[in-house]
Amino acid sequence: MKELPVILVQLVHIQGPLMGQIQEFTEEKITIGRHPSCSVQFPTDLTTISRTHAELVREGNRYKVTDRSTNGTFVNGKRVTEAFLKDGDVIMFTEGGPKVSFLAKITDAVMKEPVPEPAAPKPPHAGPPATPAAQTADAAEQAVPVKPARPEPVVPPAPVASRPAQPQPSAPGQGHPRPAAARQQVQKVQAPLMVQFGPMLKSYKELPIVIGSKADADFVLAHPAIADAHAQIFFSQDTYWIKDLTGRNLITVGGKAIGFEAPLKAQDIISLVPGGPCLRFLGEGRLAEYEQATSEEAPKPSRPAQGEPAKKAKAAKSIFDIFKK
């Protein structure tokens, strides 16, 4: 049996009735539409979406989108009949309709591609060589009864049971995704969140939210290294979590790559990209910009000269410092 790598597909809904949801698939065919049998099902009253609007089908180690609709399917703003997808492509279903960001990652797990088993050999025909007359009689089941030699029963070989493929362990620090069973279920919940970066300060009453560089992200960070849909903040099991949406293992918490997702503790430092924007989680649903000073930039402590008043400490950069106890 041929072994194939398992590909984890993530569809991040960035516009439409499912906005904020992240759906994951490992199937070779993913259907999108209003029909209840579709893998991604939109509301039945969203009539601009066809019952079966589009399909994502695996070909080798890539996925191809095929349009099955009346109103069209668009990839990065261009209408397509079919097109191969790459990481980060934005798929829109009908013009101005729902949008998803396509992310795919080849995992260490493998699956078996079934190979058809050969047919069991037919038992040899018993009896003396057939004459033309005997053949005619045999065909009509009217041959003179002849006691045939009892053929030995042919027992087809028992199929060999194959053991299910097990995911191979990953080396520390490589950030391979954890098994699906260990992942948190992301749902819309009422949970407060405040995010401050530079002059921007936004508050949210419902999670999850998406941080990214695209204008339709919930919190927009205009930085060249930030992806359109870069990170997701969600709330599960009385804990705030961060999820890496880039598929490239870019996000670290406390200097360690999170791989797929990680819980947040008070005072955790979150680096969204190496050398790029950083946030500090202050606890109680507060995220603030964090600037990490290098050893060369760190000012050396100096004592004030005698008779000179001590200089006032520099004001804290984070607006949330007023909440510190």
Side-chain angles (χ1 to χ4, degrees), residues 16-39:
L18 305 181
M19 180 176 174
Q21 294 188 30
I22 298 179
Q23 295 178 296
E24 298 179 347
F25 306 93
T26 55
E27 294 85 348
E28 295 191 355
K29 183 178 181 180
I30 305 166
T31 54
I32 299 103
R34 292 184 293 118
H35 195 274
S37 64
C38 288
S39 312

Side-chain angles (χ1 to χ4, degrees), residues 302-311:
S302 59
R303 296 180 180 177
Q306 290 186 354
E308 290 185 6
K311 293 182 180 180

Side-chain angles (χ1 to χ4, degrees), residues 312-318 321:
K312 293 183 178 180
K314 187 181 286 187
K317 293 183 179 180
S318 170
D321 285 338

Side-chain angles (χ1 to χ4, degrees), residues 195-199 277-280 287-291 317-318 320:
V195 185
Q196 175 265 324
F197 194 89
C278 294
L279 297 167
R280 183 197 291 270
L287 284 169
E289 180 183 8
Y290 177 78
E291 293 186 7
K317 293 183 179 180
S318 170
F320 293 117

